Amino acid sequence: MAVGIFDSGLGGLTVLDAVAKRLPNVPLVYLGDSAHAPYGVRTPDDIYNLTTAATQRLFDAGCDLVILACNTASAAALRRMQEGWVPPGKRVLGVFVPLIEALTERQWGDNSPPREVAAKHVALFATPATVSSRAFQRELAFRAIGVDVEAQACGGVVDAIEDGDMILAEALVRSHVDALQRKMPTPDAAVLGCTHYPLMAEVFQDALGPQVKVFSQANLVAESLADYLDRHPQMVGPGTEPAFLTTGDPKRVSSRATQFLRRQITFTSA
Ligand code: DGL
């Protein structure tokens, strides 16, 4: 009965938390690849190899469905995995589509042609690898026309969050918002395209101003997953035990995770 949730590190806990609230009876197996984080500065091949290894580990833990709760992995590896790697009977889903569906105000699974939407100037904040993949712009183009996207690669923010240095993370977020506003002075929407950034959502909102609608993924992904499992109940895998797995140091990772989610989280070695 388990669903796997993968992230390069701790950021995906924002998605896990929202999914656990929305689907309290589904055991969730989380895997954070903290030994190799951050992914955002790695090459696409490297991200693909690390993501497939981690996803295999989640299949082995009894998950038939794995959510890549990592924009960088979704952007750089998901399409290649779906095209040639995912074994029969297993599914791997990413986190871009629910976000774009919300931004373009579409119903889940609406496959009609792209159309004009309310948001005209969208700021995308993401890791360097996500920004250079242009995956967000590609997915958006399937659904919306006339949307101007300005992307800001937010170097350093993930490392600061993984290190628990929230003062540095806040300073970096403010300087990345400044840099974005020099390129796009008046965005009407902003997308937090990295699972770590919801932990800094208030700082993004404050720096951008109240007129900017900030989209962050956790609840959107949870809603989309609930809808998917309604339509594909067989994709809840055979595993019965929730677990938190890490490739990093379980003690250190557990203590950071407990601090982020404000409840006791105990990781074991992946
Ligand atoms: N949390 C990941 C994301 O959503 C990436 C962080 C990283 O490892 O660079 O993009």
Side-chain angles (χ1 to χ4, degrees):
M1 277 248 318
V3 168
I5 298 191
F6 164 73
D7 187 58
S8 59
L10 293 172
L13 289 172
T14 56
V15 174
L16 174 121
D17 211 31
V19 171
K21 285 189 183 118
R22 181 66 181 79
L23 296 166
N25 298 323
V26 175
L28 301 173
V29 182
Y30 184 88
L31 194 154
D33 193 10
S34 290
H36 303 108
Y39 278 21
V41 289
R42 291 178 178 275
T43 63
D45 276 351
D46 209 5
I47 295 167
Y48 173 82
N49 290 331
L50 291 169
T51 306
T52 49
T55 303
Q56 185 59 53
R57 177 71 185 84
L58 287 165
F59 290 157
D60 296 343
C63 305
D64 286 345
L65 169 64
V66 171
I67 308 297
L68 301 186
C70 173
N71 293 268
T72 307
S74 299
L78 178 61
R79 178 174 286 226
R80 191 169 156 196
M81 289 169 77
Q82 287 172 332
E83 283 172 359
W85 181 84
V86 179
K90 308 284 186 195
R91 284 277 187 290
V92 181
L93 302 175
V95 285
F96 273 120
V97 172
L99 183 73
I100 288 172
E101 285 172 334
L103 184 71
T104 55
E105 293 171 7
R106 286 186 166 231
Q107 299 295 319
W108 309 126
D110 172 352
N111 289 325
S112 58
R115 57 173 180 256
E116 291 210 24
V117 295
K120 295 283 180 242
H121 302 283
V122 175
L124 168 68
F125 296 95
T127 66
T130 299
V131 168
S132 60
S133 75
R134 297 188 60 80
F136 178 83
Q137 288 90 329
R138 190 178 62 228
E139 293 292 338
L140 184 66
F142 287 126
R143 296 165 177 83
I145 45 176
V147 185
D148 178 21
V149 177
E150 193 63 65
Q152 175 66 28
C154 298
V157 176
V158 169
D159 305 69
I161 293 174
E162 289 280 323
D163 288 345
D165 190 342
M166 302 318 251
I167 294 177
L168 176 61
E170 172 163 354
L172 287 168
V173 166
R174 289 189 186 280
S175 87
H176 287 304
V177 169
D178 261 7
L180 182 283
Q181 285 170 328
R182 283 197 291 275
K183 298 179 283 186
M184 179 182 271
T186 54
D188 33 49
V191 169
L192 305 188
C194 170
T195 48
H196 286 66
Y197 301 170
L199 295 162
M200 307 303 294
E202 283 173 20
V203 181
F204 275 103
Q205 185 74 72
D206 185 59
L208 284 158
Q211 74 290 355
V212 179
K213 184 166 170 47
V214 176
F215 288 84
S216 130
Q217 281 161 329
N219 290 331
L220 300 172
V221 172
E223 213 41 65
S224 178
L225 175 62
D227 177 65
Y228 181 86
L229 290 177
D230 264 355
R231 289 180 288 117
H232 305 275
Q234 79 286 3
M235 287 314 299
V236 178
T240 52
E241 292 304 316
F244 291 91
L245 307 173
T246 178
T247 55
D249 168 17
K251 216 168 142 203
R252 185 169 177 276
V253 172
S254 302
S255 123
R256 292 265 186 273
T258 300
Q259 186 188 338
F260 285 150
L261 291 194
R262 299 194 182 94
R263 63 185 163 89
Q264 182 61 46
I265 306 283
T266 305
F267 275 85
T268 55
S269 281

